[in-house]
Every structure is written in structure tokens, then in C-alpha cells.
Amino acid sequence: MTYHFRQALVAMRGNFTATLATLMTMTLTLLMLGFVLLLTLNVNRTLEQLESQVEVAAFLNVGTDGAALLKQVQGFPQVREARLVSSEEVLEEMTRDSPYARDAVTLVGNPFPTTVRMRVGRVEDSRVVAAAVARLPGVGDVEYGAGYVDPTVRALTAIRAAGYGLVGLLLMGTLFNILNAVRVAMYARRNEISVMRLLGATRGFIRMPHVIEGVLLGVLAGAVALAVLTPAYFGLARRVQLLAPVFPVVTDPAVLAPILGGVALLGITIGLLGSLFASRRYLQELE
Amino acid sequence: MLHHEHDFILPNNAALSIRCRGKRMIDFKHVTLEYPVTRTLALDDISMHVGKGEFVYLVGHSGAGKSSFMNLVLKRALPSKGEVRVAGEALAHYRGGRTALLRRRMGTVFQENLLLPHLNAYDNVAFALRVTGVAQREWPARVTTALRTVGLEHKKYALPLQLSQGEQQRVAIARAIVSDPPLLLADEPTGNLDPDNSREVLKVLQNVNLRGTTVVVATHARDLVETFRHRTLTLRKGKLVRDDPYGGYAL
């Protein structure tokens, strides 16, 4: 194994430019992936918070059978929980928030309609549920905070999708770089490989230095990516907490460790798989 | 393991007394080799055998089929027709990873010595043991014995560039025999050498043969074939046209 390890280091030093290019692309890919994963984690956390706050409220027309409508609404699979709030209860709430509401009642009567309040399983479902409930007979109007839920969900989903798309492209770029690095290294060793084959070396023996090279590149790229990503994330998290405390930024190490560890592990896996594939393919080419 | 140390200089006809011991090391049965891309007929219905412990020359003009013969034995090419056996086993049985095991049973020497330029003579010879997984503790004794057999024990720390062509070829022979293979294939081993070095290399090959190793030498060198007489197979345009048990170059 010492021999293979030494050969891998010799190959990396001998093809320094290709090695550096591969290392940089891998690191960039892992950084991007880490960024997108952390972003997704925080997006999900924000969406969860939105979910816990967002309510769909259906205001019933006078004379509507609220209990029957509640049953109907509870039958929707997207609705996690629903309750009927009478106009008197609404008035109570409103009076708590603004005491002058009680004075208004003495002038015009209770202006608040009986309301069915619903919480949805996923915040993205708010619009669908609102539209479905609005079509039910006896429902006068529906509110669901459309002003901020829709654009927020759209923006966050788009950012997440773009991030994953970019990571996909970078992963492909990394794989091509590994293929190229292994190919150059094997070409440089072609005389040695030819001698090894004549002497009866197995394919595994010949390929081993290149596989080690791929794994080493993965380990290095993973380490660099973590060294950059971890302090950068915690620095950014502190700033967000300071400037926009409304966002629930994740800083719990127990939650972050598997994601950061996964990024490093992915680097090693890409290095291993890329070099396994490349060494197998280019050894056949040399044969 | 190399067990015996022989005198480096041998009488020219020393190997004649140990020729053909009955069992077959190489066996060709109606072997035809046609290269598919160029449709070149390299070997045409060859049937012959080389006995264990024999020293055999393979002679012929360029393109006669000598290298194709070697390539078949090494399983670098597959016969279009017929069967090739080495040490009693059909080469068709060696597939994929098993080809490496076949090659461990043969030493090979080529016109270009294929020494690794960054390794000294000792390490070049030890390389054969490394790639076949021989325990490192066994290397010193085996490498030293192999280098002694080719008369280069005193130059074990020399890099290939510091050795003459003949010495480089002898290191290549040491590398080929260090695993103690029962068969040694030499394809034009003296092709790049002057007459003196060629004679030295031939003497080393005879020395190897005296240890019991079957040796097959493909060569153009008429003077060597005439001087160091052994069984000689003559190929012409892919056909085996002559099998002279007492040697001689007759094209």
C-alpha cells in the first residue's frame, strides 16, 4: 500500500496542473453543494415557521351551516387542522387586540362573520386549499396571507432548484476533470504499465495508485470545502440573526454536522467513483 | 527461487544435452492468426511444440510471424483458429484477471529492455517481485541471485542510463527470471546490441536454460544461431517451414 500511495503522490506531483484543476473544481462543487444544502436547511426551517403561522380563513355567509362546512373542509387531505370560530368569538379576539371594536358593535352590530380557520400540512398548499374552500357554497370570502406566502415560496423554491442545477453541472465538471487527470497520469505511466502487465500485475494493482489519487483529491477537496464553508456559514448566521432575527437560522451543531460531513463524504465518493471508472476505462484503452 | 549458481561462461553446445524432456511447455495445434483490422495472415496453420527445458530459436525474416508467435504465447493476441497451450493448459482458459497469472509463469525479454529509468538495477529487478506480491523480505536474496546469474551483482545500484546496452539487457533478463518462471520468451533480445554484447546476452540465456527454464528466442542474428546451436524453428510468411533439432540458420 505504501508503494501505491507513493505512486499516487508521484502522479499528482507529475501532473500538477491537472491535479490542481481537478482539486479546484471539486472544492468549488463541494462548496456550492454545501451552500445549497445549508440554504435548503434554512429555507425548510423558514417554511416550517411560515407553516406554523399561516392560516387559511374562510368567512361564511350569514345563515350558512358552519358545522357542515367544517366537516367538508376537514375532509381535504391538505388540511391539517380546522376549527369553527363563531362571529362572537371573532369579536372577542378583535376586542382583545383593539378595544374600540366593542364600541363599533354598539353602532353597527357585530360585523365579523362566522369563520372556519384552517392550517395546512405544507405552506405551498395554502393557495390550493384557499381556492377549493372559496368554491364551497356558503363561503363569502377566503384569506390566506397570499401577499407574502406565494412570492416567498416561489422565490425559495427557485433558489433551491437553481442551486441544485448548478451543483449538478459542477458535479459533471468534476467528474470530467477526474477522468482527465487519471488519463494524463496513466498516459505518463504507460511504459511502466506495459512492463507491469508483462510481469503479471493484476489490473487492480495497476489501477490502485490512480484510485488512491482520486480518493486523495476527494479528501483534500472535502477538507478545503469544510475549512471554508464552516466559518463562512457561522459568520453569516451571526449576521442574519443580528440584522433579521425573524429568520430562524440553524446554528445547532448537531443538525449541521451531518450536512457538512456529508459534503466531505461526497467529495471522497466522487473521487473514488471517478477514478475507478477512469482507471478501468483508460487501462482498457492502453491495452 | 534460484537455487544454483552457475559459471557465467558456458560451452557453446552446453544446452544440447538437456534438450526436450518429454513434457510440452508450449504446444501449438493448427494455429492460425489473422489480424482482423488489416486482414493480415500472421501465422498460418502452425503445429509444433516446445518441450520443457528446451532452448529454441525462432528465426525468420521481418514479418515471418516471430513476434506473432510470442504474442500468442503471451496472450497479447488470440488465435483465429487452433489452440495454444502453455505448460499443458489451454490459453483460452485464462480470461480477464487470470491472464496476469499466466504471465507470472513466463519471463519476457524484448529488443527494447523496458527498464524503468528512475529505478536502479536492483529496484528494476525487484519490481517484478513487487507487482506479483512477493513478500518484501524475500527480495534481497532473490534479486541478488538473479543479478549474479546475469553477472551484474556489482552494478545493482546503477541506473539504466549508467549501464551499457548489453548490461541493460542483462538486467532485463534478471527481471524476467527473478520470479523463477518455467518459461522465458526473448523477442529479438540482441536486436540493439553489438556482437560482443549479443554473445554475452546469449550466454546468459543459455545459463538460464541450464537451470531448467525453457527458453524461446526469436532472432535475426544468424551468427548467434550458428555459434550457439540449439533447436531452430524457421518461419516464412507465417508458415513453419523448418524444424532443425540441431540448429543452424537456413532461410
Side-chain angles (χ1 to χ4, degrees):
Chain A
M1 189 51 79
T2 318
Y3 165 76
H4 294 305
F5 195 78
R6 211 170 49 230
Q7 287 300 108
L9 291 180
V10 167
M12 287 167 79
R13 203 177 52 194
N15 309 298
F16 190 68
T17 315
T19 305
L20 201 64
T22 312
L23 186 61
M24 283 176 71
T25 323
M26 276 181 103
T27 308
L28 194 65
T29 307
L30 295 180
L31 275 173
M32 273 303 300
L33 181 70
F35 175 75
V36 172
L37 287 176
L38 290 172
L39 183 74
T40 305
L41 177 75
N42 283 288
V43 164
N44 288 343
R45 185 62 63 89
T46 307
L47 288 175
E48 273 171 27
Q49 197 179 53
L50 276 176
E51 276 167 14
S52 67
Q53 289 167 358
V54 167
E55 263 190 356
V56 178
F59 305 115
L60 310 189
N61 295 329
V62 179
T64 305
D65 182 356
L69 198 106
L70 179 67
K71 275 210 158 148
Q72 258 185 300
V73 163
Q74 282 170 333
F76 290 172
Q78 298 95 333
V79 174
R80 183 160 47 95
E81 137 192 357
R83 65 191 174 94
L84 188 66
V85 186
S86 67
S87 59
E88 287 74 27
E89 284 173 292
V90 179
L91 178 62
E92 278 296 309
E93 285 174 10
M94 294 306 290
T95 309
R96 266 202 308 276
D97 293 342
S98 52
Y100 295 109
R102 182 65 69 187
D103 299 336
V105 172
T106 57
L107 297 173
V108 295
N110 185 351
F112 303 110
T114 300
T115 307
V116 175
R117 289 181 182 165
M118 294 153 277
R119 286 185 192 279
V120 289
R122 296 184 314 145
V123 72
E124 300 96 301
D125 295 334
S126 306
R127 192 154 51 95
V128 181
V129 170
V133 173
R135 282 196 295 272
L136 294 175
V139 175
D141 197 9
V142 175
E143 260 186 27
Y144 71 103
Y148 69 95
V149 171
D150 272 355
T152 309
V153 169
R154 266 202 301 272
L156 293 179
T157 310
I159 290 171
R160 202 162 46 178
Y164 281 128
L166 192 60
V167 167
L169 287 175
L170 283 169
L171 276 176
M172 281 177 66
T174 304
L175 274 176
F176 282 124
N177 261 305
I178 292 174
L179 297 190
N180 192 44
V182 170
R183 184 179 203 169
V184 169
M186 289 188 88
Y187 188 75
R189 285 181 74 215
R190 65 191 182 286
N191 287 338
E192 190 176 331
I193 289 173
S194 156
V195 172
M196 287 166 116
R197 288 179 54 239
L198 282 172
L199 292 173
T202 59
R203 285 182 177 186
F205 185 92
I206 297 171
R207 289 167 64 195
M208 187 61 81
H210 303 290
V211 175
I212 290 176
E213 183 185 345
V215 173
L216 276 179
L217 279 172
V219 170
L220 277 174
V224 175
L226 286 193
V228 173
L229 197 61
T230 311
Y233 176 75
F234 279 107
L236 193 68
R238 267 197 304 276
R239 277 179 172 266
V240 172
Q241 279 171 335
L242 205 68
L243 299 173
V246 67
F247 285 108
V249 182
V250 181
T251 52
D252 182 6
V255 178
L256 295 173
I259 292 177
L260 295 172
V263 168
L265 201 65
L266 184 77
I268 298 168
T269 309
I270 295 170
L272 175 69
L273 293 181
S275 56
L276 273 174
F277 174 76
S279 60
R280 181 191 165 97
R281 184 175 161 188
Y282 297 127
L283 186 59
Q284 279 171 350
E285 221 171 73
L286 284 176
E287 284 171 351
Chain B
M1 237 350 238
L2 302 171
H3 299 292
H4 305 293
E5 187 183 334
H6 301 286
D7 185 4
F8 180 49
I9 305 297
L10 295 166
N12 289 348
N13 59 354
L16 286 175
S17 59
I18 57 163
R19 210 176 60 72
C20 196
R21 292 177 182 151
K23 290 196 172 178
R24 294 177 177 189
M25 178 55 74
I26 298 174
D27 198 359
F28 274 46
K29 286 182 183 157
H30 302 288
V31 172
T32 296
L33 173 62
E34 187 178 45
Y35 289 111
V37 178
T38 55
R39 310 286 294 170
T40 312
L41 191 63
L43 291 175
D44 186 6
D45 195 25
I46 301 277
S47 290
M48 51 74 68
H49 68 266
V50 175
K52 281 186 181 168
E54 265 195 292
F55 189 117
V56 176
Y57 289 117
L58 205 57
V59 300
H61 294 300
S62 290
K66 304 188 295 293
S67 293
S68 296
F69 178 96
M70 296 294 196
N71 285 338
L72 282 175
V73 178
L74 275 166
K75 206 168 179 276
R76 290 163 104 184
L78 297 172
S80 316
K81 282 182 201 162
E83 185 185 54
V84 179
R85 285 177 172 269
V86 172
E89 282 197 66
L91 294 196
H93 293 310
Y94 291 94
R95 287 191 190 136
R98 291 198 72 215
T99 305
L101 302 180
L102 167 77
R103 289 181 183 154
R104 288 179 190 188
R105 301 170 70 178
M106 313 175 184
T108 45
V109 182
F110 293 92
Q111 185 168 336
E112 291 78 26
N113 55 62
L114 299 177
L115 296 179
L116 301 176
H118 59 285
L119 300 181
N120 62 31
Y122 179 96
D123 289 333
N124 259 295
V125 176
F127 191 67
L129 300 175
R130 182 191 292 282
V131 303
T132 50
V134 173
Q136 212 157 343
R137 64 177 177 280
E138 291 183 31
W139 296 4
R142 294 178 72 160
V143 173
T144 304
T145 311
L147 283 171
R148 192 180 303 144
T149 304
V150 300
L152 284 176
E153 194 187 356
H154 61 293
K155 293 209 171 175
K156 62 181 174 184
Y157 298 118
L159 289 168
L161 272 177
Q162 296 165 324
L163 298 168
S164 71
Q165 290 277 332
E167 287 171 332
Q168 288 180 27
Q169 197 60 298
R170 278 151 61 190
V171 173
I173 295 171
R175 184 179 63 189
I177 62 170
V178 72
S179 305
D180 205 16
L183 173 63
L184 178 65
L185 301 172
D187 193 357
E188 300 286 1
T190 60
N192 288 337
L193 306 180
D194 59 42
D196 286 344
N197 275 314
S198 297
R199 288 172 65 85
E200 292 295 295
V201 165
L202 244 296
K203 284 171 185 169
V204 168
L205 290 174
Q206 286 194 144
N207 201 6
V208 171
N209 177 239
L210 275 183
R211 298 181 315 121
T213 306
T214 307
V215 177
V216 179
V217 180
T219 185
H220 277 112
R222 175 189 293 264
D223 56 328
L224 293 177
V225 177
E226 295 288 358
T227 309
F228 301 92
R229 288 193 163 238
H230 297 284
R231 180 183 169 201
T232 304
L233 302 170
T234 307
L235 290 169
R236 189 180 298 151
K237 292 181 181 172
K239 282 190 176 295
L240 181 63
V241 293
R242 189 180 167 96
D243 182 353
D244 186 345
Y246 300 105
Y249 198 95
L251 284 177

